[in-house]
């Protein structure tokens, strides 16, 4: 099985050179099988997706998939190469502060409703085909007027021309110092049991700019419009997209990558993208909650923090999960201060530096109870 | 006339020390005169407000105002001291990318409606008093739970405890390389003729997180609720707030500061905060449009830009207002490329470095026609 | 035992406020015992020294020392609070790129020679007293002409006014992802056996700007001058200074801090700064080599690196100690490339992000053989 | 006259892609005429060199040169694209703080002396040829062991393989907010009268890492060695190199570029690289001093600075050349403080942001008297 490569231009430098990303293409053996789009590292410090892609490529080279698979490993050269000190400030555009993962295109809802009306007599397959095609045209039209596009939008739209052609989209991310978790559309809850992700956040039809939302929300809007109009085949989108959070940033971990890759392969087998023999859902405990259950806990004081509890751990309301050391305040206020959880929850993500000014997100807590 | 000073804590460092800002208090001679709150440099590179404050202080020391005036010159020590190379990256939190000027508190609209119902029989003066008081309590309640507040919110809420007590709020900003312009609530259009700001953007009741909006939108919501309930005194808010854009960032210009300060004093005289003798509206041409007329024009290619037209200039659709130099592309594509205006408009703001990657905002154009 | 605190001004912000650091003073019971100066976190991301100081303070509160001890925990507020993304870019001045730990004052060698001549008939105690006093005067004279001092020098000189009064100076640092190691003057090799530092780098009389060198080199110059002039008491300096590298940056680790603190206490007991009962040299294997044996190994290609060997491990020439993953190059060049050690050595320090452009220091290798 | 282009690889990204720079080649009509190497923007914010190159290219296209000319416009893609906020932090490697212009290769002096001995009987032309050839081999040998090279060295050595083959090297830089000035080897003082640079700093044989020094110092060392050995043709190097400081950073100014380009062309005519008709030395007053006369004046307090005097102006000892505004200190200390020149001198360079912490270089003063 060979992997083809092409290059996609996603921006231009100050000297007029192109920022280009490598796109890997794996041809499936069955033209009718679902097509998959995978990208990694839109946030520049979130590297682990590339290790997962390495595992997937090894698999695909030995076992050709049924469906076409398109992979963009380091999809954001502007974020990925913005190092400051040892680390990568790749979460937001260093010029503007705009989060790199908030710039995708969602077709206008009014337009979607109109599209549904116009295609009421078409079959579902025809509708899917036409919707993808029109959506792609919208992206191309937007890209033809670059003066209206920020560089985040420009890059995202270019990548989205690839994603829009797929039936499944996986956007590989990581947290700071984090557990493995998954953002999934609520309607795709069945699918989450095939991934190797211990924590699952279910999302409703709310678009905030990220690729997973930009990918599934339009299909959900279309389904809703078709249902409202009484289209007989409309139930839930055939399309699925996920943000797969692979653990801790700024590192690659081959053991974890193997687990995650096997989970992804299991999901792809479930969706008939690869042969059924790879369907082997990881037997792990999953904590599945609405995405609103993920709550930011900001450092209530400035200092150096040590964690008593780690990402993946559960904490009870009132339980000390971290301590704040303030040696310079010795004698004036307490030097080591306990930080207590405000409610029962799992620590899903923790700040990856001990030096934390007041008001910076210390942890993300996944509330157990609503 | 003396100026008193106090300190306001707006954050904490990683060693547990306080970030404190200097608050200047000028006592007015008339307890019934409107109170004014002025702050500068929430965006760290936007320095000119401090030069304007210097002019105002010189005035107030000679001519005591009628109303109390509270001034916070360098209101954001975290943004103002974040230098990278020679310049100040003070527009967004360097940790998160969050724009420092998007974090103010707007009371919940449902709560405002309920407040209006409960105060239907009160006089306007009583309502204003109660509304300010309740709003302040909301800020204090939020500040009492720091784990829920990002450091941008924490700082903004602290400053807002001062702003909320005023009748007039002026937030002093600058553009990049920019003309003098003004964001004003649409209902306060009469007031804009007292300022020395050539370009005026009128805002509706839409809250995006900035101080001017956070200051006037709640009053507008309250008025709307009172009008809907038929309160006899409800017409338009007594309260006014403005973002005053003072020109170019990273510099202080005393000549421009004097013009702007005189405009502000003229406005304050109009509002009876200072004696009527200072009412002397600058005789300048003003371009007043809805804020939606301000449009970003992104660099359509990466390169080095030189401006043919400058901030303040008008450009016609199709007119060349800048050129893009790409010497490294010599022989492959054009080396000097004309950039044309997409519509008739004023250049209000221009990027302050010639080195511009594709997709970075080259200028802000103020559309002449809708 | 109480700890007193004072504040030392080390700079000024753009609004004219002082940058102040907290100085902790512990009074010794014996005025003749050696005085100690300890500082931490000149490089802002190197936090662990504060955890060690926390351990030391707990000890001193229970067991008063014989000699005076002065501690500056977070000694560099400008570097310590310069966060970019989650991490602290605290290694160099973000305005100039100047390493924060290269700015200390070393009295001019010609002046030292002259001083030796002038004090040839004085006792060693008198000489030490006079040398400290004159050195301090030089610092004060330099600080009196601020226009000649960069802010790195300004801060360093201020701190050095404290260090110069001590007999022992400990500068607490960390590596990136690192083993515990120690920079020691070659003449103080006896002392290294009391610290809990597995790797030791011996330094000659070569001043590069760091605090340890700035502290011991002048004394060594003085001794050399006195020996050359035949002063009977001149053998080796009574003064000692060390840079103590405490492991990995951006974290605090209380277990490691306890080990290191016990090592420091053991050394202080050896030097009669605290009671003899705390003399308890850690029984660890120490690798002691000249500082020139520490060699930078730069990433020979750009990619994502995973380490087969860890800080503290030994590697043989030709042994694979890391691998470079380049998924985007899949099909064009090898995707996973072995990185081999060029000689036998210990990995003492490793880059703390897996994303490494070509030419960035991958590891510091401590050469086993010359 | 056509301009050919090739690409030179100067580094690798974190995904393994090459950083490549565009190299422009203009073939001269006379193989014996001196060869010229020109590069621009090693410091990423110093853009004006590209505008000068644009002028030079226009000239060369109309009037083919006698000697070969090699031009690298944007020579540092890593520095040039490191934007933070609007500006370019391109002066130092953002990972390490290392100044991008301190990494060139200077052959070892011992080796040069040995080379001179071995070539004592060769003609000057043969010596020059052999010296260039051996130097180039040293660069290639170093580049063959990338693990020993930081990315600054790697890039500089690659560029230097081009520079080493030339007889004249021009490195185009700018100051912050600056006058036009020139660094020249003292032995090449005759040449400075052809450039359009008002201020000239003469350099001795002292290598600090910059390209101009790395280019002429080895030739000076060689001359000295040949003179010491009594070679009959040894007087002064035929080779010349200059750092041409083109004014203010972060901008391109075509008027200034035309002046500077004409100066460069005049110099090239003087050196017989282009036809004699272009010899037309600019009639400007030049201030020529030893490079040690350029003195840094650091901000003696933190605040906002306005300049009374501008780059290019002369100031007398005690004359106020700037004022420091500290509104936040109003009432506590003076709010507007005069800054006086410590000696007679020209302001050659000024900080390009008004927001200046204590200890940051406010201006560079060129001392009039020794």
């Amino acid at each position: 099985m060979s992997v083809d490569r092409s290059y996609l231009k996603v921006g231009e430098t100050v000297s007029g050179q192109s920022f280009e990303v490598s796109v890997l293409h794996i041809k499936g053996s069955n033209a009718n099988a679902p097509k998959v789009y995978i990208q990694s590292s839109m946030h520049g410090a979130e590297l682990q997706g590339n290790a997962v892609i390495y595992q997937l490529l090894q698999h695909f080279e030995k076992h050709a998939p049924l469906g076409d698979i398109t992979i963009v490993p380091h999809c954001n050269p502007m974020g990925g190469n913005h190092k400051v000190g040892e680390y990568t400030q790749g979460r937001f555009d260093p010029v503007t502060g705009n989060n790199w993962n908030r710039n995708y295109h969602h077709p206008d809802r009014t337009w979607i409703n109109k599209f549904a009306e116009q295609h009421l007599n078409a079959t579902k397959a025809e509708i899917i085909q036409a919707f993808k095609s029109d959506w792609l045209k919208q992206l191309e039209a937007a890209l033809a007027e670059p003066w209206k596009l920020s560089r985040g939008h420009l890059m995202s739209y270019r990548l989205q021309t690839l994603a829009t052609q797929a039936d499944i989209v996986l956007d590989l991310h990581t947290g700071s110092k984090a557990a493995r978790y998954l953002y999934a559309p609520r309607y795709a809850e069945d699918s989450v049991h095939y991934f190797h992700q211990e924590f699952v956040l279910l999302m409703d039809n709310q678009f905030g700019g990220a690729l997973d939302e930009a990918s599934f929300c339009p299909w959900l809007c279309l389904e809703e419009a078709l249902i409202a109009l009484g289209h007989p085949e409309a139930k839930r989108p055939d399309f699925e997209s996920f943000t797969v959070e692979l653990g801790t940033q700024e590192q690659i971990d081959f053991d974890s990558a193997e687990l995650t890759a096997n989970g992804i392969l299991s999901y792809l087998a479930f969706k008939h993208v690869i042969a059924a023999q790879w369907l082997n859902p990881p037997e792990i405990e999953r904590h599945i909650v609405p995405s609103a259950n993920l709550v930011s806990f900001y450092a209530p004081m400035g200092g150096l923090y040590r964690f008593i509890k780690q990402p993946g751990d559960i904490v009870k309301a009132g339980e000390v999960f971290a301590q704040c050391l303030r040696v310079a305040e010795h004698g004036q206020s307490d030097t080591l201060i306990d930080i207590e959880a405000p409610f029962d929850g799992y620590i899903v993500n923790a700040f990856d530096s001990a030096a934390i000014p007041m008001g910076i997100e210390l942890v993300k807590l996944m509330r157990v109870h609503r």
Side-chain angles (χ1 to χ4, degrees), chain A residues 49-255:
Chain A
N50 301 293
V52 171
I53 287 168
Y54 178 66
Q55 300 288 338
L56 294 174
L57 286 174
Q58 289 194 308
H59 178 91
F60 295 139
E61 287 193 321
K62 288 192 217 119
H63 315 283
L66 305 173
D68 292 350
I69 295 177
T70 303
I71 302 178
V72 186
H74 291 265
C75 74
N76 179 355
M78 297 175 284
N81 287 293
H82 193 79
K83 308 281 293 186
V84 179
E86 296 195 29
Y87 305 99
T88 314
Q89 191 291 84
R91 172 163 289 274
F92 49 84
D93 187 328
V95 176
T96 60
N98 292 343
N99 189 319
W100 288 116
N101 189 24
R102 297 292 180 274
N103 301 302
Y104 294 93
H105 177 69
H106 186 303
D108 183 70
R109 198 144 184 167
T110 315
W111 176 84
I112 294 176
N113 289 339
K114 206 166 137 196
F115 176 95
E117 281 174 39
Q118 289 167 341
H119 291 78
L120 203 50
N121 298 321
T123 64
K124 186 148 193 183
E126 288 166 348
I127 290 175
I128 288 173
Q129 179 65 18
F131 193 67
K132 283 190 184 188
S133 169
D134 284 7
W135 188 351
L136 201 55
K137 277 179 205 144
Q138 288 189 13
L139 288 167
E140 281 160 2
L143 287 164
E145 288 193 298
W147 73 267
K148 294 185 177 172
L149 293 181
S150 81
R151 67 173 173 171
H153 286 94
L154 175 79
M155 172 170 60
S156 297
Y157 285 21
R158 288 273 168 95
L159 293 166
Q160 214 176 350
T161 57
L162 301 177
T164 306
Q165 300 175 54
D167 304 298
I168 290 168
V169 166
L170 301 179
D171 194 12
L172 306 185
H173 281 252
T174 77
S176 302
K177 192 163 56 184
R180 281 182 294 239
Y181 57 110
L182 184 71
Y183 286 94
R186 185 183 295 276
Y187 70 77
E189 188 174 339
D190 287 354
S191 296
V192 308
H193 297 276
Y194 296 88
F195 288 93
H196 194 115
Q197 307 293 115
E198 287 82 356
F199 300 91
V200 178
L201 297 154
L202 298 179
M203 294 184 293
D204 291 313
N205 187 6
Q206 207 168 347
F207 176 58
L211 179 59
D212 54 356
E213 301 159 354
S215 300
F216 81 79
C217 289
W219 292 108
L220 209 46
C221 293
L222 177 61
E223 287 297 318
E224 286 170 9
L226 291 172
I227 288 167
L229 294 167
H231 191 286
E233 286 180 284
K235 292 184 304 277
R236 53 155 275 192
D238 290 316
F239 179 90
E240 291 187 357
S241 61
F242 303 88
T243 293
V244 194
E245 302 276 350
L246 302 164
T248 295
Q249 70 191 7
E250 293 285 12
Q251 64 174 48
I252 50 173
D253 176 330
F254 276 26
D255 293 335

Side-chain angles (χ1 to χ4, degrees), chain A residues 174-183 198-201 245 247-248 287 289 293-295 310-315 345-351 361-367:
Chain A
T174 77
S176 302
K177 192 163 56 184
R180 281 182 294 239
Y181 57 110
L182 184 71
Y183 286 94
E198 287 82 356
F199 300 91
V200 178
L201 297 154
E245 302 276 350
T248 295
H287 308 280
V289 300
N293 277 29
L294 196 66
V295 174
Q310 300 303 323
D313 287 353
I314 194 165
V315 289
Y346 289 93
I347 297 176
V348 170
N349 190 64
F351 203 67
E361 192 190 83
L362 182 62
V363 289
K364 278 191 211 300
L365 286 172
M366 201 183 95
R367 203 187 276 276

Side-chain angles (χ1 to χ4, degrees), chain A residues 306-329:
Chain A
R306 64 192 289 256
F307 288 98
I308 312 294
K309 298 284 181 172
Q310 300 303 323
D313 287 353
I314 194 165
V315 289
K316 295 285 172 190
E319 189 177 355
V320 175
F321 69 93
Q323 289 182 309
C324 180
L325 180 70
R326 293 153 46 110
V327 184
E329 295 295 296

